[in-house]
Amino acid sequence: MLYACLTVPALALEQRLAEQPELRSRAVALADESGLRVAEVTAEAAVRGVRRGITLREAVALCPRLAVLEPRPASTLHAAAQLVEAAAGVSPLVEEAEPGTVFADLRGLEGLYPQPGQFEAAMLAAAPMDLPARLGVAGQRFTALVAAKTAAPGTAVRVANEERAAFLARHAVEWLPLVTEHIERLRLFGITSIGEFAALPMQAAQAQFGAAGRRAWLAARGEDPEPLHPRRVVLDSVHERVRPEAPLISREAILQGARQLLRRALRQPRAADRFVRQVRLQAVTEDEQLWERVQPLREPTNDRARLWTVIRTQFEYAELPGPVAELDIELGGLTTETGRQPGLFVDHLRRREQLDEMVRHLRVRFGQSPVAQVVEVEPWSRLPERRYALMDYDP
Amino acid sequence: MEQAAGAPLRAHGLRPLNLPRPVEVDLDEHGLPRRVVTGALGALRAFEVERVQEVWRVAEAWWRDASVRRTYYQVVIDGGRTLTLFHDDEEHLAAGWYEQRY
Protein backbone atom coordinates (compact mmCIF):
# COMPACT_ATOMS: atom_id res chain seq x y z
CA MET A 1 0.00 0.00 0.00
CA LEU A 2 1.30 3.43 -0.88
CA TYR A 3 -0.40 6.74 -0.18
CA ALA A 4 0.32 10.27 -1.32
CA CYS A 5 -0.79 13.35 0.55
CA LEU A 6 -0.95 16.64 -1.32
CA THR A 7 -1.47 19.56 1.01
CA VAL A 8 -1.45 23.34 1.18
CA PRO A 9 -1.34 24.18 4.90
CA ALA A 10 -3.55 27.17 5.80
CA LEU A 11 -5.13 27.07 2.35
CA ALA A 12 -7.51 29.98 2.96
CA LEU A 13 -4.61 32.27 3.89
CA GLU A 14 -2.34 30.99 1.13
CA GLN A 15 -5.06 31.56 -1.41
CA ARG A 16 -5.40 35.21 -0.29
CA LEU A 17 -1.61 35.65 -0.32
CA ALA A 18 -1.50 34.27 -3.85
CA GLU A 19 -3.71 37.22 -4.81
CA GLN A 20 -1.48 39.70 -2.96
CA PRO A 21 2.04 38.22 -3.08
CA GLU A 22 3.56 41.47 -1.77
CA LEU A 23 2.13 40.54 1.66
CA ARG A 24 4.00 37.21 1.89
CA SER A 25 6.92 38.60 3.86
CA ARG A 26 4.72 40.69 6.15
CA ALA A 27 2.84 39.93 9.36
CA VAL A 28 -0.58 38.91 8.07
CA ALA A 29 -3.60 37.40 9.78
CA LEU A 30 -6.66 35.95 8.10
CA ALA A 31 -9.90 36.70 9.93
CA ASP A 32 -12.41 33.92 10.51
CA GLU A 33 -15.84 34.00 8.88
CA SER A 34 -17.33 35.95 11.79
CA GLY A 35 -14.69 38.63 11.26
CA LEU A 36 -13.87 38.65 14.97
CA ARG A 37 -11.05 36.17 15.45
CA VAL A 38 -7.81 35.13 13.82
CA ALA A 39 -8.12 32.01 11.66
CA GLU A 40 -4.59 31.78 10.19
CA VAL A 41 -1.32 33.69 10.47
CA THR A 42 1.90 34.02 8.51
CA ALA A 43 5.21 33.08 10.11
CA GLU A 44 6.06 36.77 10.49
CA ALA A 45 2.86 37.34 12.49
CA ALA A 46 3.45 34.22 14.60
CA VAL A 47 6.87 35.55 15.60
CA ARG A 48 5.10 38.59 17.04
CA GLY A 49 2.79 36.42 19.14
CA VAL A 50 -0.27 36.47 16.88
CA ARG A 51 -1.88 33.03 16.92
CA ARG A 52 -5.04 31.31 15.80
CA GLY A 53 -8.15 31.82 17.90
CA ILE A 54 -7.31 35.18 19.49
CA THR A 55 -9.51 38.17 18.73
CA LEU A 56 -8.46 40.57 16.00
CA ARG A 57 -8.32 43.36 18.60
CA GLU A 58 -5.75 41.35 20.61
CA ALA A 59 -3.85 40.53 17.43
CA VAL A 60 -3.53 44.18 16.43
CA ALA A 61 -2.45 45.06 19.98
CA LEU A 62 0.31 42.46 19.73
CA CYS A 63 1.39 43.55 16.27
CA PRO A 64 0.29 47.08 15.31
CA ARG A 65 1.53 46.66 11.71
CA LEU A 66 -0.50 43.49 11.24
CA ALA A 67 -2.33 43.23 7.90
CA VAL A 68 -5.73 41.59 8.36
CA LEU A 69 -7.34 39.86 5.40
CA GLU A 70 -10.95 38.82 5.08
CA PRO A 71 -11.65 35.20 4.14
CA ARG A 72 -13.02 34.38 0.72
CA PRO A 73 -14.68 30.98 1.17
CA ALA A 74 -15.72 30.63 -2.46
CA SER A 75 -12.16 31.14 -3.70
CA THR A 76 -10.84 28.78 -1.03
CA LEU A 77 -13.24 26.04 -2.12
CA HIS A 78 -12.27 26.66 -5.72
CA ALA A 79 -8.58 26.29 -4.83
CA ALA A 80 -9.36 23.13 -2.82
CA ALA A 81 -11.20 21.70 -5.82
CA GLN A 82 -8.16 22.44 -8.01
CA LEU A 83 -6.02 20.48 -5.57
CA VAL A 84 -8.40 17.52 -5.72
CA GLU A 85 -8.35 17.68 -9.51
CA ALA A 86 -4.55 17.69 -9.45
CA ALA A 87 -4.50 14.49 -7.38
CA ALA A 88 -7.31 12.93 -9.40
CA GLY A 89 -5.36 13.58 -12.58
CA VAL A 90 -2.68 11.21 -11.32
CA SER A 91 -4.64 8.62 -9.31
CA PRO A 92 -8.27 7.52 -9.70
CA LEU A 93 -8.63 6.90 -5.93
CA VAL A 94 -8.65 10.26 -4.21
CA GLU A 95 -10.01 11.47 -0.88
CA GLU A 96 -10.29 15.09 0.23
CA ALA A 97 -9.70 14.94 4.00
CA GLU A 98 -10.34 18.68 4.37
CA PRO A 99 -10.11 21.67 2.04
CA GLY A 100 -6.42 21.84 1.20
CA THR A 101 -5.48 18.25 2.07
CA VAL A 102 -5.96 15.44 -0.43
CA PHE A 103 -4.95 11.79 -0.17
CA ALA A 104 -4.40 9.55 -3.16
CA ASP A 105 -4.02 5.80 -3.31
CA LEU A 106 -1.07 4.93 -5.52
CA ARG A 107 -1.83 1.25 -6.03
CA GLY A 108 -1.14 0.08 -9.55
CA LEU A 109 0.51 3.29 -10.72
CA GLU A 110 4.03 1.80 -10.82
CA GLY A 111 3.62 0.95 -14.50
CA LEU A 112 2.73 4.53 -15.35
CA TYR A 113 5.47 6.09 -13.25
CA PRO A 114 8.30 3.53 -13.21
CA GLN A 115 11.16 5.90 -12.36
CA PRO A 116 11.70 7.15 -8.79
CA GLY A 117 10.36 10.66 -8.35
CA GLN A 118 8.27 10.54 -11.54
CA PHE A 119 4.99 10.25 -9.74
CA GLU A 120 5.85 13.05 -7.30
CA ALA A 121 6.85 15.36 -10.14
CA ALA A 122 3.60 14.65 -12.00
CA MET A 123 1.40 15.43 -9.01
CA LEU A 124 3.27 18.60 -8.03
CA ALA A 125 3.18 19.78 -11.63
CA ALA A 126 -0.60 19.34 -11.66
CA ALA A 127 -1.07 21.38 -8.46
CA PRO A 128 -2.06 25.06 -8.83
CA MET A 129 1.03 27.10 -9.66
CA ASP A 130 0.32 29.97 -7.28
CA LEU A 131 -0.20 27.81 -4.19
CA PRO A 132 2.69 26.33 -2.19
CA ALA A 133 1.60 22.68 -2.44
CA ARG A 134 3.67 20.04 -0.62
CA LEU A 135 3.63 16.31 -1.21
CA GLY A 136 4.24 13.38 1.12
CA VAL A 137 4.44 9.73 0.08
CA ALA A 138 4.36 6.82 2.52
CA GLY A 139 2.80 3.46 3.20
CA GLN A 140 0.26 4.92 5.66
CA ARG A 141 -2.04 7.92 5.54
CA PHE A 142 -0.78 9.63 8.68
CA THR A 143 2.86 9.13 7.75
CA ALA A 144 2.15 10.57 4.30
CA LEU A 145 0.45 13.58 5.93
CA VAL A 146 3.40 14.25 8.25
CA ALA A 147 5.78 13.82 5.33
CA ALA A 148 3.80 16.39 3.32
CA LYS A 149 3.82 18.85 6.21
CA THR A 150 7.59 18.59 6.52
CA ALA A 151 8.21 19.06 2.79
CA ALA A 152 9.25 22.47 1.52
CA PRO A 153 6.73 24.20 -0.76
CA GLY A 154 6.74 22.64 -4.22
CA THR A 155 8.71 19.57 -3.12
CA ALA A 156 7.99 16.02 -2.01
CA VAL A 157 9.15 13.87 0.89
CA ARG A 158 8.97 10.09 0.55
CA VAL A 159 9.24 7.99 3.72
CA ALA A 160 10.41 4.39 3.31
CA ASN A 161 8.48 1.80 5.26
CA GLU A 162 11.41 0.79 7.46
CA GLU A 163 12.10 4.42 8.39
CA ARG A 164 8.56 5.44 9.24
CA ALA A 165 8.68 5.05 13.04
CA ALA A 166 11.97 6.95 13.33
CA PHE A 167 10.69 9.63 10.95
CA LEU A 168 7.49 10.19 12.89
CA ALA A 169 9.16 10.04 16.30
CA ARG A 170 10.95 13.37 15.96
CA HIS A 171 7.88 15.46 15.21
CA ALA A 172 5.69 17.34 17.68
CA VAL A 173 2.57 15.77 19.21
CA GLU A 174 0.46 18.60 17.75
CA TRP A 175 0.39 16.72 14.47
CA LEU A 176 -1.27 13.64 15.98
CA PRO A 177 -4.89 13.07 15.00
CA LEU A 178 -6.19 14.14 18.43
CA VAL A 179 -8.35 17.08 19.50
CA THR A 180 -6.68 20.14 21.04
CA GLU A 181 -7.64 19.24 24.65
CA HIS A 182 -6.02 15.82 24.28
CA ILE A 183 -2.85 17.39 22.92
CA GLU A 184 -2.79 19.80 25.85
CA ARG A 185 -3.19 16.88 28.25
CA LEU A 186 -0.24 15.11 26.62
CA ARG A 187 1.85 18.26 27.09
CA LEU A 188 0.86 18.33 30.77
CA PHE A 189 2.14 14.75 31.02
CA GLY A 190 5.44 15.99 29.56
CA ILE A 191 4.92 14.22 26.25
CA THR A 192 6.01 16.58 23.49
CA SER A 193 7.01 14.37 20.56
CA ILE A 194 5.24 11.70 18.56
CA GLY A 195 8.02 9.29 19.52
CA GLU A 196 7.33 9.75 23.24
CA PHE A 197 3.65 9.09 22.64
CA ALA A 198 4.41 5.98 20.57
CA ALA A 199 6.61 4.66 23.41
CA LEU A 200 3.62 4.54 25.79
CA PRO A 201 1.78 1.23 26.18
CA MET A 202 -1.24 1.17 23.90
CA GLN A 203 -3.54 0.56 26.88
CA ALA A 204 -2.38 3.84 28.44
CA ALA A 205 -3.24 5.82 25.31
CA GLN A 206 -6.57 4.05 25.01
CA ALA A 207 -7.40 4.56 28.71
CA GLN A 208 -6.78 8.29 28.40
CA PHE A 209 -8.38 9.09 25.04
CA GLY A 210 -10.55 6.08 24.15
CA ALA A 211 -10.77 4.87 20.56
CA ALA A 212 -9.19 8.11 19.29
CA GLY A 213 -6.20 7.39 21.56
CA ARG A 214 -5.75 3.93 20.06
CA ARG A 215 -5.93 5.27 16.52
CA ALA A 216 -3.45 8.03 17.33
CA TRP A 217 -1.08 5.54 19.01
CA LEU A 218 -1.11 3.28 15.94
CA ALA A 219 -0.60 6.32 13.70
CA ALA A 220 2.32 7.47 15.83
CA ARG A 221 4.02 4.07 15.31
CA GLY A 222 3.49 4.20 11.55
CA GLU A 223 0.79 1.53 11.75
CA ASP A 224 -2.07 3.79 10.84
CA PRO A 225 -4.97 1.44 9.98
CA GLU A 226 -7.12 4.19 8.46
CA PRO A 227 -7.86 3.27 4.83
CA LEU A 228 -8.51 5.77 2.08
CA HIS A 229 -12.14 6.66 1.50
CA PRO A 230 -12.17 7.59 -2.17
CA ARG A 231 -14.67 10.21 -3.23
CA ARG A 232 -17.73 9.05 -5.02
CA VAL A 233 -17.48 8.61 -8.75
CA VAL A 234 -18.12 11.98 -10.27
CA LEU A 235 -21.44 11.87 -12.02
CA ASP A 236 -21.58 13.09 -15.55
CA SER A 237 -22.83 16.64 -15.54
CA VAL A 238 -23.26 19.84 -17.49
CA HIS A 239 -22.32 23.11 -16.00
CA GLU A 240 -23.14 26.75 -16.76
CA ARG A 241 -21.90 29.87 -15.03
CA VAL A 242 -22.56 33.57 -15.44
CA ARG A 243 -20.81 36.62 -14.00
CA PRO A 244 -23.14 39.56 -14.58
CA GLU A 245 -21.59 42.97 -15.19
CA ALA A 246 -23.30 44.35 -12.11
CA PRO A 247 -24.13 42.15 -9.10
CA LEU A 248 -27.70 40.88 -9.07
CA ILE A 249 -29.64 42.43 -6.23
CA SER A 250 -33.28 41.60 -6.79
CA ARG A 251 -34.60 38.07 -6.57
CA GLU A 252 -36.29 38.55 -9.95
CA ALA A 253 -32.97 39.30 -11.60
CA ILE A 254 -31.42 36.22 -9.98
CA LEU A 255 -34.31 34.09 -11.20
CA GLN A 256 -33.92 35.47 -14.71
CA GLY A 257 -30.21 34.65 -14.61
CA ALA A 258 -30.92 31.14 -13.33
CA ARG A 259 -33.55 30.56 -16.00
CA GLN A 260 -31.08 31.60 -18.69
CA LEU A 261 -28.43 29.25 -17.26
CA LEU A 262 -30.87 26.34 -17.20
CA ARG A 263 -31.75 26.96 -20.83
CA ARG A 264 -28.07 27.07 -21.80
CA ALA A 265 -27.23 23.95 -19.77
CA LEU A 266 -30.02 21.94 -21.40
CA ARG A 267 -28.84 23.08 -24.84
CA GLN A 268 -25.40 21.55 -24.31
CA PRO A 269 -24.87 18.52 -26.57
CA ARG A 270 -23.97 16.38 -23.57
CA ALA A 271 -27.41 16.99 -22.06
CA ALA A 272 -29.32 16.09 -25.23
CA ASP A 273 -31.72 13.17 -24.74
CA ARG A 274 -30.46 12.59 -21.22
CA PHE A 275 -32.12 12.86 -17.84
CA VAL A 276 -30.96 14.88 -14.85
CA ARG A 277 -30.75 13.27 -11.42
CA GLN A 278 -29.42 16.16 -9.39
CA VAL A 279 -29.32 19.95 -9.54
CA ARG A 280 -26.58 21.93 -7.83
CA LEU A 281 -26.94 25.69 -7.48
CA GLN A 282 -24.25 28.08 -6.39
CA ALA A 283 -24.26 31.82 -5.88
CA VAL A 284 -21.14 33.77 -5.03
CA THR A 285 -21.70 37.21 -3.59
CA GLU A 286 -19.71 40.36 -4.25
CA ASP A 287 -17.62 39.73 -1.13
CA GLU A 288 -17.02 36.06 -2.10
CA GLN A 289 -19.57 34.56 0.28
CA LEU A 290 -20.80 31.24 -1.01
CA TRP A 291 -24.38 29.99 -1.07
CA GLU A 292 -24.88 26.44 -2.30
CA ARG A 293 -27.80 24.02 -2.57
CA VAL A 294 -27.81 20.48 -3.90
CA GLN A 295 -31.20 19.08 -4.78
CA PRO A 296 -31.45 15.43 -5.84
CA LEU A 297 -34.57 14.75 -7.90
CA ARG A 298 -37.06 12.07 -7.02
CA GLU A 299 -36.87 10.75 -10.53
CA PRO A 300 -34.60 11.69 -13.41
CA THR A 301 -36.08 14.23 -15.78
CA ASN A 302 -35.18 16.28 -18.81
CA ASP A 303 -38.34 18.34 -18.65
CA ARG A 304 -37.30 21.99 -18.50
CA ALA A 305 -40.45 23.07 -16.67
CA ARG A 306 -39.89 20.51 -13.89
CA LEU A 307 -36.24 21.45 -13.54
CA TRP A 308 -37.17 25.10 -13.46
CA THR A 309 -39.69 24.47 -10.68
CA VAL A 310 -36.92 22.90 -8.59
CA ILE A 311 -34.47 25.72 -9.27
CA ARG A 312 -36.98 28.52 -8.82
CA THR A 313 -38.16 27.15 -5.48
CA GLN A 314 -34.60 26.99 -4.18
CA PHE A 315 -33.87 30.59 -5.14
CA GLU A 316 -37.22 31.92 -3.96
CA TYR A 317 -36.63 30.66 -0.43
CA ALA A 318 -32.89 31.30 -0.42
CA GLU A 319 -31.39 33.55 2.23
CA LEU A 320 -28.64 34.82 -0.03
CA PRO A 321 -25.76 36.41 1.88
CA GLY A 322 -25.55 39.45 -0.42
CA PRO A 323 -25.75 40.73 -4.00
CA VAL A 324 -24.87 37.92 -6.39
CA ALA A 325 -21.71 38.39 -8.45
CA GLU A 326 -21.64 34.89 -9.92
CA LEU A 327 -24.33 32.33 -10.54
CA ASP A 328 -23.65 28.70 -11.24
CA ILE A 329 -25.88 25.77 -12.19
CA GLU A 330 -24.83 22.15 -12.53
CA LEU A 331 -27.17 19.49 -13.84
CA GLY A 332 -25.65 16.30 -12.54
CA GLY A 333 -26.05 12.56 -12.76
CA LEU A 334 -26.92 12.67 -16.43
CA THR A 335 -28.36 9.37 -17.43
CA THR A 336 -30.08 7.88 -20.41
CA GLU A 337 -32.38 5.93 -18.12
CA THR A 338 -35.48 7.08 -16.38
CA GLY A 339 -37.74 5.21 -14.02
CA ARG A 340 -40.83 6.76 -15.51
CA GLN A 341 -42.91 4.88 -18.04
CA PRO A 342 -45.08 7.40 -19.87
CA GLY A 343 -48.35 6.16 -21.29
CA LEU A 344 -48.65 5.89 -25.03
CA PHE A 345 -51.83 7.94 -25.30
CA VAL A 346 -51.34 10.46 -22.50
CA ASP A 347 -51.18 13.96 -23.92
CA HIS A 348 -51.72 17.46 -22.64
CA LEU A 349 -55.44 17.30 -23.21
CA ARG A 350 -55.73 14.18 -21.11
CA ARG A 351 -53.68 15.81 -18.35
CA ARG A 352 -55.95 18.85 -18.37
CA GLU A 353 -58.99 16.63 -18.06
CA GLN A 354 -57.41 14.85 -15.10
CA LEU A 355 -56.66 18.20 -13.44
CA ASP A 356 -60.21 19.43 -13.99
CA GLU A 357 -61.63 16.22 -12.60
CA MET A 358 -59.40 16.50 -9.54
CA VAL A 359 -60.43 20.12 -8.92
CA ARG A 360 -64.13 19.19 -9.18
CA HIS A 361 -63.54 16.43 -6.67
CA LEU A 362 -61.83 18.85 -4.26
CA ARG A 363 -64.62 21.39 -4.63
CA VAL A 364 -67.16 18.79 -3.62
CA ARG A 365 -65.06 17.77 -0.69
CA PHE A 366 -64.13 21.22 0.64
CA GLY A 367 -66.99 23.30 -0.68
CA GLN A 368 -64.72 25.60 -2.65
CA SER A 369 -61.99 25.34 -5.20
CA PRO A 370 -58.67 25.00 -3.37
CA VAL A 371 -56.79 25.59 -6.63
CA ALA A 372 -56.19 29.05 -7.98
CA GLN A 373 -54.47 30.46 -11.00
CA VAL A 374 -52.42 33.61 -11.36
CA VAL A 375 -53.93 36.15 -13.72
CA GLU A 376 -52.61 39.45 -14.99
CA VAL A 377 -54.69 42.38 -13.82
CA GLU A 378 -52.72 45.56 -14.45
CA PRO A 379 -49.22 44.36 -15.25
CA TRP A 380 -48.24 47.94 -16.10
CA SER A 381 -49.25 49.32 -12.68
CA ARG A 382 -46.63 50.98 -10.51
CA LEU A 383 -48.34 49.47 -7.48
CA PRO A 384 -47.07 45.88 -7.28
CA GLU A 385 -50.22 44.52 -5.64
CA ARG A 386 -52.32 45.60 -8.63
CA ARG A 387 -50.29 43.75 -11.26
CA TYR A 388 -51.31 40.14 -10.63
CA ALA A 389 -54.04 38.38 -8.71
CA LEU A 390 -55.16 34.89 -7.80
CA MET A 391 -58.38 33.67 -9.28
CA ASP A 392 -60.24 30.53 -8.26
CA TYR A 393 -59.66 27.82 -10.81
CA ASP A 394 -63.07 26.84 -12.00
CA PRO A 395 -63.05 24.04 -14.56
CA MET B 1 -73.52 23.26 -6.16
CA GLU B 2 -74.42 22.71 -2.54
CA GLN B 3 -72.14 24.29 -0.01
CA ALA B 4 -70.40 21.72 2.19
CA ALA B 5 -71.35 22.02 5.83
CA GLY B 6 -68.86 24.02 7.85
CA ALA B 7 -67.10 25.46 4.82
CA PRO B 8 -65.77 28.92 5.61
CA LEU B 9 -67.34 31.79 3.77
CA ARG B 10 -64.97 33.41 1.35
CA ALA B 11 -65.18 36.18 -1.18
CA HIS B 12 -64.69 34.69 -4.61
CA GLY B 13 -63.04 36.50 -7.46
CA LEU B 14 -59.65 38.12 -7.61
CA ARG B 15 -57.29 38.09 -4.67
CA PRO B 16 -54.42 40.51 -5.12
CA LEU B 17 -50.93 39.08 -4.96
CA ASN B 18 -47.92 40.74 -3.43
CA LEU B 19 -49.88 42.79 -0.95
CA PRO B 20 -47.75 45.08 1.21
CA ARG B 21 -46.99 43.79 4.69
CA PRO B 22 -46.93 46.24 7.58
CA VAL B 23 -43.54 46.70 9.24
CA GLU B 24 -42.19 48.84 12.03
CA VAL B 25 -39.51 51.27 10.99
CA ASP B 26 -37.27 53.43 13.16
CA LEU B 27 -36.01 56.54 11.43
CA ASP B 28 -32.71 58.33 11.64
CA GLU B 29 -32.26 62.05 12.05
CA HIS B 30 -32.79 62.57 8.28
CA GLY B 31 -36.10 60.72 8.33
CA LEU B 32 -34.65 57.68 6.55
CA PRO B 33 -35.15 54.06 7.71
CA ARG B 34 -32.57 53.03 10.30
CA ARG B 35 -34.06 49.80 11.66
CA VAL B 36 -36.83 47.54 10.34
CA VAL B 37 -38.91 45.03 12.31
CA THR B 38 -40.73 42.53 10.08
CA GLY B 39 -42.69 39.33 10.55
CA ALA B 40 -45.72 38.25 12.49
CA LEU B 41 -46.22 38.57 16.21
CA GLY B 42 -44.18 35.89 17.94
CA ALA B 43 -41.70 35.68 15.05
CA LEU B 44 -40.55 39.25 14.74
CA ARG B 45 -37.16 39.91 13.19
CA ALA B 46 -35.29 43.16 13.43
CA PHE B 47 -32.77 44.31 10.83
CA GLU B 48 -30.38 47.23 10.93
CA VAL B 49 -30.41 49.22 7.71
CA GLU B 50 -26.89 49.49 6.34
CA ARG B 51 -27.75 51.99 3.65
CA VAL B 52 -30.62 53.33 1.61
CA GLN B 53 -29.95 52.32 -1.96
CA GLU B 54 -32.74 54.05 -3.81
CA VAL B 55 -35.73 56.27 -3.12
CA TRP B 56 -38.63 56.84 -5.50
CA ARG B 57 -42.14 58.17 -5.32
CA VAL B 58 -45.34 56.67 -6.72
CA ALA B 59 -48.53 58.70 -7.07
CA GLU B 60 -51.48 56.93 -8.66
CA ALA B 61 -54.76 58.60 -9.54
CA TRP B 62 -53.63 61.73 -7.75
CA TRP B 63 -56.57 63.62 -9.20
CA ARG B 64 -59.05 61.44 -7.29
CA ASP B 65 -59.97 61.43 -3.64
CA ALA B 66 -58.88 57.80 -3.31
CA SER B 67 -55.39 58.52 -4.58
CA VAL B 68 -52.30 56.53 -3.62
CA ARG B 69 -49.12 58.36 -2.73
CA ARG B 70 -46.14 56.35 -1.57
CA THR B 71 -42.42 56.87 -1.10
CA TYR B 72 -40.46 53.69 -1.76
CA TYR B 73 -37.06 52.97 -0.21
CA GLN B 74 -34.83 50.16 -1.37
CA VAL B 75 -32.62 49.48 1.63
CA VAL B 76 -29.67 47.16 2.22
CA ILE B 77 -29.98 45.40 5.55
CA ASP B 78 -27.30 43.57 7.51
CA GLY B 79 -26.08 40.56 5.60
CA GLY B 80 -26.35 42.37 2.28
CA ARG B 81 -29.97 41.53 1.52
CA THR B 82 -32.22 44.20 0.14
CA LEU B 83 -35.73 45.08 1.26
CA THR B 84 -38.17 47.34 -0.47
CA LEU B 85 -40.12 49.45 2.00
CA PHE B 86 -42.63 52.16 1.38
CA HIS B 87 -44.22 54.82 3.42
CA ASP B 88 -47.84 55.72 2.79
CA ASP B 89 -47.54 59.47 2.36
CA GLU B 90 -51.11 59.96 3.50
CA GLU B 91 -50.05 58.91 6.98
CA HIS B 92 -47.79 60.43 9.58
CA LEU B 93 -44.09 59.66 9.01
CA ALA B 94 -43.84 57.58 12.19
CA ALA B 95 -46.55 55.16 10.99
CA GLY B 96 -47.74 53.69 7.71
CA TRP B 97 -44.63 51.68 6.80
CA TYR B 98 -44.86 48.54 4.68
CA GLU B 99 -42.60 45.99 3.04
CA GLN B 100 -43.30 44.93 -0.51
CA ARG B 101 -41.46 43.09 -3.29
CA TYR B 102 -41.28 45.62 -6.09
Side-chain angles (χ1 to χ4, degrees):
Chain A
M1 197 68 81
L2 198 60
Y3 294 107
C5 175
L6 186 64
T7 185
V8 177
L11 177 69
L13 175 61
E14 289 296 345
Q15 195 277 329
R16 294 299 322 268
L17 291 175
E19 293 168 354
Q20 292 173 271
E22 69 278 6
L23 293 177
R24 275 199 188 281
S25 55
R26 285 188 50 192
V28 179
L30 181 78
D32 66 2
E33 286 193 23
S34 71
L36 297 173
R37 292 184 177 275
V38 172
E40 301 289 351
V41 294
T42 57
E44 193 63 29
V47 166
R48 285 166 170 73
V50 182
R51 59 189 190 281
R52 293 171 65 170
I54 65 171
T55 63
L56 290 177
R57 193 184 292 250
E58 287 171 310
V60 174
L62 286 164
C63 177
R65 293 175 62 83
L66 184 74
V68 178
L69 298 174
E70 283 182 355
R72 292 197 175 156
S75 303
T76 307
L77 283 183
H78 183 65
Q82 282 184 308
L83 216 58
V84 174
E85 288 310 313
V90 177
S91 166
L93 298 173
V94 169
E95 177 194 338
E96 186 181 28
E98 59 178 13
T101 301
V102 187
F103 289 98
D105 190 332
L106 306 183
R107 265 179 298 175
L109 296 181
E110 305 82 9
L112 283 171
Y113 304 100
Q115 301 298 324
Q118 253 185 337
F119 158 77
E120 287 93 331
M123 199 175 263
L124 284 169
M129 293 280 286
D130 50 352
L131 292 175
R134 302 143 194 256
L135 185 68
V137 181
Q140 306 76 29
R141 278 173 62 119
F142 178 68
T143 315
L145 174 66
V146 175
K149 284 183 174 178
T150 56
T155 67
V157 168
R158 186 185 276 252
V159 180
N161 233 4
E162 56 278 12
E163 294 167 6
R164 64 186 195 270
F167 168 77
L168 292 169
R170 58 179 182 264
H171 295 295
V173 281
E174 275 72 15
W175 285 359
L176 282 171
L178 286 171
V179 295
T180 314
E181 296 126 48
H182 293 171
I183 300 285
E184 280 168 9
R185 206 176 327 157
L186 283 176
R187 289 229 166 245
L188 288 173
F189 289 144
I191 296 166
T192 56
S193 73
I194 293 177
E196 287 167 349
F197 181 69
L200 296 171
M202 188 187 76
Q203 291 78 2
Q206 199 164 6
Q208 282 294 326
F209 310 120
R214 181 175 178 275
R215 279 198 300 274
W217 184 83
L218 287 169
R221 294 168 62 89
E223 295 166 11
D224 179 16
E226 185 73 13
L228 193 94
H229 305 287
R231 65 176 178 169
R232 284 189 301 168
V233 176
V234 177
L235 301 169
D236 200 4
S237 62
V238 289
H239 189 256
E240 282 290 343
R241 176 182 296 171
V242 66
R243 279 192 79 89
E245 282 180 21
L248 304 175
I249 293 166
S250 75
R251 210 168 285 265
E252 287 71 22
I254 294 166
L255 286 171
Q256 283 302 329
R259 187 193 282 269
Q260 191 189 11
L261 287 182
L262 173 64
R263 208 176 295 139
R264 272 167 35 188
L266 287 174
R267 273 210 302 261
Q268 286 193 26
R270 208 136 49 96
D273 299 324
R274 297 180 78 182
F275 298 90
V276 177
R277 281 186 192 277
Q278 178 176 288
V279 176
R280 190 173 64 82
L281 308 170
Q282 256 189 9
V284 181
T285 64
E286 258 180 325
D287 55 349
E288 298 274 336
Q289 299 292 313
L290 178 70
W291 173 92
E292 186 178 46
R293 290 286 179 282
V294 177
Q295 179 68 53
L297 307 180
R298 283 192 190 150
E299 58 186 5
T301 182
N302 63 353
D303 179 24
R304 196 166 84 192
R306 284 187 60 202
L307 289 167
W308 174 239
T309 305
V310 171
I311 293 169
R312 194 191 60 209
T313 311
Q314 290 290 341
F315 277 118
E316 276 182 348
Y317 291 97
E319 293 268 339
L320 294 166
V324 174
E326 186 178 305
L327 207 55
D328 199 303
I329 283 184
E330 185 185 285
L331 306 179
L334 294 179
T335 172
T336 51
E337 301 151 15
T338 172
R340 196 167 193 178
Q341 177 68 57
L344 261 181
F345 306 107
V346 175
D347 55 17
H348 288 295
L349 192 64
R350 176 82 185 118
R351 246 187 265 166
R352 183 61 177 254
E353 281 172 10
Q354 285 175 340
L355 173 68
D356 291 353
E357 184 57 37
M358 180 62 71
V359 172
R360 279 190 214 103
H361 173 77
L362 292 170
R363 275 181 64 176
V364 170
R365 185 165 175 194
F366 296 110
Q368 65 190 35
S369 172
V371 180
Q373 65 186 114
V374 177
V375 290
E376 282 188 345
V377 185
E378 294 176 18
W380 58 84
S381 175
R382 298 179 72 201
L383 302 178
E385 71 268 33
R386 289 192 185 166
R387 294 174 191 159
Y388 299 95
L390 277 180
M391 193 174 72
D392 287 352
Y393 182 73
D394 199 354
Chain B
M1 185 183 294
E2 195 175 317
Q3 184 90 339
L9 289 173
R10 194 177 63 152
H12 281 260
L14 296 177
R15 280 164 282 157
L17 282 171
N18 199 9
L19 280 170
R21 288 179 297 178
V23 290
E24 276 181 38
V25 173
D26 292 345
L27 303 174
D28 64 15
E29 65 274 20
H30 306 294
L32 294 171
R34 181 176 59 83
R35 187 166 176 272
V36 187
V37 182
T38 69
L41 204 63
L44 291 174
R45 295 180 68 190
F47 299 100
E48 295 299 324
V49 173
E50 285 182 2
R51 64 176 189 280
V52 176
Q53 199 151 266
E54 205 177 346
V55 181
W56 68 97
R57 287 220 158 94
V58 172
E60 290 271 306
W62 47 267
W63 59 91
R64 295 172 52 197
D65 283 340
S67 64
V68 175
R69 291 193 303 124
R70 297 173 179 174
T71 306
Y72 276 87
Y73 299 81
Q74 190 176 59
V75 299
V76 179
I77 56 172
D78 44 3
R81 276 177 55 212
T82 57
L83 284 182
T84 305
L85 310 171
F86 75 77
H87 177 256
D88 187 342
D89 293 349
E90 303 291 336
E91 295 198 47
H92 185 265
L93 194 60
W97 283 92
Y98 299 87
E99 181 199 348
Q100 187 170 41
R101 280 172 64 184
Y102 199 84

